């Protein structure tokens, strides 16, 4: 199979502001690379402060003067369902663009487009079914909660599964009546460029959705520091999250940040070993290993450790590395040469910190591009860098344990706390371990199966706040308490004399 550009590429990737595709005010652009060849295949507008100012002004105008926040929930719901219909109808095109731009295997990119549509459907239904709390004091008072959209939401999204992760934020932000400015990742701006025409076709009013491409240090920084953007939702690495937290502080912005992870997958001797192998191999090598919830530290009870390592290594050696466009490919090309160099540097570090049992370099059949063989290190000590630091690639560390207490100590021995995966047939152990592990999300005897009704987010260095279900509604709305007196107010009579 040959590597070719997808059909329908635009001549250039532009911003989308107030219903129009536009270049940067100052004409700034940046190169977008194809991860298979690392050659520039298109130019994108590079947003600066002036472009963010225009986008925020359009979003603010659409919020204060436009119909969007004042629409009945059912009206907004109909439009968001239409967005989902359009996304589903363009599934093949979206997947092709996403795969070409990000290096994701085409079969996995197709799943992301379907999930993006489902995200819009979920929140379109949720706002119609939503009810607010009422508290009664019989004969005296009724108190109710009035939810109101907050204003302009700044959405900053990462380069792994970009289209789907953009929909996670766009769905609830728009459903609740806010307007948005989206700043997609500079490595993967291609699929995001489709949102403008999708929203326009669905009937979203001009100015409700705005998109500014560019670097985090320029466009992202200007969005975070803009005084008329009261909300920032960010998904990305923890160090960037810390910087956004600091830069938002003077403006007291609402923040939701889903950050990095170094998630443990704990396999006890009584686990269904075949199922655990399936899930743990998939959990770190799917999406090219570029996933925040990857189970990149596998902790295995010693009595089954040698068998597990041997079988895991064999599976890793047989993972199909190939062109992203090939339906047989299981691991494609990493997103960008900078990221490739980072992952390969960790592979070299790992060779001094563990026993290499699979991979460890570039596949022979791909002398160029960002290809990494699925790499497995065994006997990794808890203080090793490959055990402690997020690699964000197809690299895994396997470590033995002897007791439940040691397994828990190893699982929690990291600054991160996003996800955890536990494999055991002991019901008591499963629940007790789940409740003791320091992770925002736990999957028992399962791979990462997402339920949109549940909170998504982490603890420690893995995040701040949660989104998903009603947690997203909470984040994107102000909750105003309204108190009504039904009888005499009985206020103390200050200043009325005796």
């Amino acid at each position: 199979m040959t590597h070719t550009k997808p059909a329908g590429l635009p001549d250039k990737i532009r911003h989308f502001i107030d219903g129009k595709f536009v270049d940067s005010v100052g004409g700034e652009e940046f190169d977008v690379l194809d991860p298979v060849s690392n050659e520039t295949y298109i130019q994108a507008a590079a947003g600066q402060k002036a472009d963010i100012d225009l986008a925020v002004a359009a979003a603010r105008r659409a919020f204060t003067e436009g119909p969007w926040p004042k629409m009945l929930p059912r009206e907004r719901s109909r439009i968001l369902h239409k967005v989902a219909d359009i996304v589903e109808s363009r599934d093949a095109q979206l997947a092709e663009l996403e795969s070409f731009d990000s290096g994701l295997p085409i079969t996995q990119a197709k799943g992301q487009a379907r999930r993006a549509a489902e995200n819009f459907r979920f929140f379109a239904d949720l706002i119609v079914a939503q009810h607010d709390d009422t508290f009664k004091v019989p004969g005296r008072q009724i108190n109710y909660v009035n939810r109101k959209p907050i204003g302009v939401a700044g959405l900053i999204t990462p380069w792994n599964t970009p289209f789907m992760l953009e929909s996670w934020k766009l769905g609830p932000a728009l459903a609740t009546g806010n307007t948005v400015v989206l700043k997609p990742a500079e490595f993967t701006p291609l699929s995001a460029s489709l949102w403008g025409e999708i929203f326009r076709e669905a009937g979203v009013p001009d100015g409700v959705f705005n998109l500014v491409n560019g670097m985090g240090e320029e466009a992202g920084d200007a969005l975070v520091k803009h005084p008329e953007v009261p909300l920032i939702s960010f998904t990305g690495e923890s160090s960037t999250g810390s910087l956004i937290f600091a830069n938002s502080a003077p403006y007291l912005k609402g923040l939701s940040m889903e950050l990095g992870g170094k998630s443990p997958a704990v396999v006890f001797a009584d686990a269904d070993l075949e199922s655990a192998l399936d899930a743990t191999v998939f959990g770190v090598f799917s999406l090219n290993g570029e996933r925040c919830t990857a189970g990149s530290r596998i902790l295995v009870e010693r009595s089954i450790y040698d068998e597990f390592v041997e079988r895991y290594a064999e599976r890793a050696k047989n993972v199909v590395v190939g062109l992203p466009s090939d339906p047989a490919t299981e691991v494609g090309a990493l997103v960008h040469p900078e990221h490739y160099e980072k992952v390969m540097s960790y592979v070299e570090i790992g060779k001094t910190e563990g026993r290499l049992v699979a991979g460890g370099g570039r596949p022979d059949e791909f002398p160029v591009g960002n290809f990494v063989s699925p790499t497995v290190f065994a006997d990794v000590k808890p203080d090793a860098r490959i055990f402690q630091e997020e690699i964000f690639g197809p690299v895994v560390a396997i470590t033995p344990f002897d007791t439940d207490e040691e397994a828990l100590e190893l699982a929690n021995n990291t600054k991160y706390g996003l996800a955890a995966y536990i494999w055991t047939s002991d019901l008591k152990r499963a629940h007790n371990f789940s409740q003791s592990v320091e992770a925002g999300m736990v999957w028992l005897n399962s791979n990462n199966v997402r339920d949109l009704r549940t909170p998504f987010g982490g603890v420690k260095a893995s995040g701040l706040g949660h989104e998903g279900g009603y947690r997203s509604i909470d984040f994107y709305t102000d909750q105003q308490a309204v108190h009504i007196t039904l009888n005499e107010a009985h206020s103390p009579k200050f200043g009325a004399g005796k």
Side-chain angles (χ1 to χ4, degrees):
M1 178 173 282
T2 57
H3 178 64
T4 56
K5 288 184 183 181
L9 283 180
D11 64 314
K12 185 166 69 175
I13 296 173
R14 294 175 169 85
H15 312 309
F16 187 80
I17 298 175
D18 208 10
K20 299 180 183 64
F21 288 99
V22 294
D23 294 321
S24 294
V25 171
E28 296 89 353
E29 296 179 353
F30 64 95
D31 295 339
V32 185
L33 306 184
D34 152 24
V36 168
S37 67
N38 284 331
E39 294 176 359
T40 299
Y41 77 91
I42 202 167
Q43 299 290 122
Q48 311 295 310
K49 183 178 182 300
D51 304 294
I52 289 290
D53 287 346
L54 285 175
V56 173
R60 183 68 193 162
R61 198 161 51 246
F63 184 76
T64 57
E65 301 172 16
W68 189 252
K70 303 177 188 71
M71 281 184 183
L72 292 173
R74 174 65 71 189
E75 293 180 76
R76 282 201 301 271
S77 176
R78 284 196 186 101
I79 292 174
L80 295 180
H81 272 295
K82 198 165 182 184
V83 169
D85 291 341
I86 297 167
V87 169
E88 281 182 344
S89 74
R90 299 183 186 180
D91 182 36
Q93 180 200 18
L94 283 168
E96 198 176 348
L97 296 179
E98 191 89 305
S99 176
F100 182 83
D101 194 35
S102 69
L104 279 180
I106 186 69
T107 51
Q108 296 169 44
K110 280 180 181 170
Q112 300 307 314
R114 288 193 296 273
R115 286 182 66 192
E118 181 55 33
N119 289 334
F120 276 93
R121 294 206 190 285
F122 177 84
F123 286 105
D125 291 340
L126 192 62
I127 56 164
V128 175
Q130 176 194 315
H131 62 89
D132 291 325
D133 293 326
T134 303
F135 307 91
K136 299 176 183 177
V137 183
R140 294 184 183 182
Q141 199 173 43
I142 294 176
N143 310 307
Y144 68 87
V145 177
N146 178 36
R147 287 183 183 271
K148 300 192 292 186
I150 295 174
V152 180
L155 312 178
I156 303 175
T157 51
W159 44 256
N160 59 319
T161 64
F163 193 83
M164 194 280 292
L165 287 176
E166 288 151 12
S167 74
W168 260 10
K169 299 182 189 300
L170 288 166
L174 295 174
T176 47
N178 297 283
T179 58
V180 303
V181 177
L182 170 66
K183 206 299 281 183
E186 58 266 28
F187 286 174
T188 55
L190 182 58
S191 61
S193 67
L194 298 179
W195 283 119
E197 62 184 55
I198 288 171
F199 285 128
R200 194 159 57 188
E201 186 178 330
V204 175
D206 291 351
V208 171
F209 168 79
N210 303 274
L211 180 150
V212 178
N213 294 292
M215 305 298 146
E217 302 86 344
E218 294 165 352
D221 189 58
L223 185 58
V224 166
K225 292 176 178 174
H226 200 292
E228 292 198 15
V229 179
L231 292 175
I232 297 289
S233 177
F234 169 75
T235 299
E237 62 177 0
S238 298
S239 58
T240 308
S242 297
L243 187 62
I244 289 173
F245 190 94
N247 288 339
S248 297
Y251 307 97
L252 299 176
K253 294 175 186 271
L255 291 175
S256 175
M257 293 198 284
E258 192 266 285
L259 307 177
K262 192 71 178 175
S263 300
V266 185
V267 183
F268 289 94
D270 64 351
D272 178 333
L273 193 56
E274 194 66 34
S275 295
L277 277 165
D278 288 344
T280 51
V281 170
F282 177 82
V284 78
F285 298 132
S286 59
L287 306 181
N288 298 345
E290 297 166 325
R291 57 187 304 166
C292 53
T293 53
S296 54
R297 294 182 299 138
I298 305 178
L299 313 176
V300 183
E301 194 163 356
R302 197 175 298 274
S303 62
I304 60 167
Y305 180 76
D306 289 340
E307 179 190 357
F308 184 93
V309 168
E310 182 181 346
R311 292 181 64 186
Y312 194 98
E314 188 62 29
R315 292 281 291 272
K317 290 172 187 174
N318 290 324
V319 168
V320 178
V321 181
L323 292 175
S325 57
D326 187 343
T329 294
E330 294 171 326
V331 170
L334 299 189
V335 68
H336 192 273
E338 282 179 26
H339 185 60
Y340 171 83
E341 292 301 332
K342 174 196 166 185
V343 171
M344 290 303 287
S345 73
Y346 275 108
V347 170
E348 293 308 308
I349 290 167
K351 290 174 183 177
T352 70
E353 293 185 331
R355 173 166 58 96
L356 179 67
V357 294
R362 172 191 286 280
D364 293 339
E365 60 271 33
F366 291 103
V368 297
N370 307 320
F371 293 92
V372 177
S373 297
T375 298
V376 183
F377 294 103
D379 310 340
V380 179
K381 298 287 188 289
D383 60 350
R385 287 186 65 187
I386 62 167
F387 188 94
Q388 292 289 340
E389 299 174 21
E390 185 176 38
I391 299 172
F392 220 65
V395 182
V396 66
I398 310 182
T399 300
F401 67 85
D402 291 296
T403 65
D404 289 29
E405 293 74 20
E406 185 188 5
L408 183 64
E409 185 181 342
L410 287 169
N412 290 341
N413 177 25
T414 171
K415 70 177 183 178
Y416 296 106
L418 188 56
Y421 307 87
I422 300 161
W423 290 86
T424 179
S425 58
D426 184 324
L427 190 62
K428 282 186 179 177
R429 171 196 278 153
H431 288 291
N432 287 327
F433 201 99
S434 295
Q435 291 172 31
S436 300
V437 73
E438 294 167 352
M441 299 168 288
V442 181
W443 279 270
L444 292 175
N445 298 321
S446 170
N447 67 343
N448 182 334
V449 180
R450 178 86 180 98
D451 184 333
L452 289 173
R453 297 169 297 179
T454 60
F456 189 99
V459 298
K460 301 195 288 191
S462 286
L464 178 75
H466 291 80
E467 294 189 39
Y470 278 110
R471 283 81 180 177
S472 293
I473 303 293
D474 286 343
F475 177 68
Y476 289 107
T477 56
D478 278 327
Q479 298 177 56
Q480 178 190 56
V482 180
H483 303 272
I484 306 161
T485 299
L486 298 177
N487 215 315
E488 292 181 46
H490 298 296
S491 298
K493 295 184 180 295
F494 276 32
K498 292 186 179 179

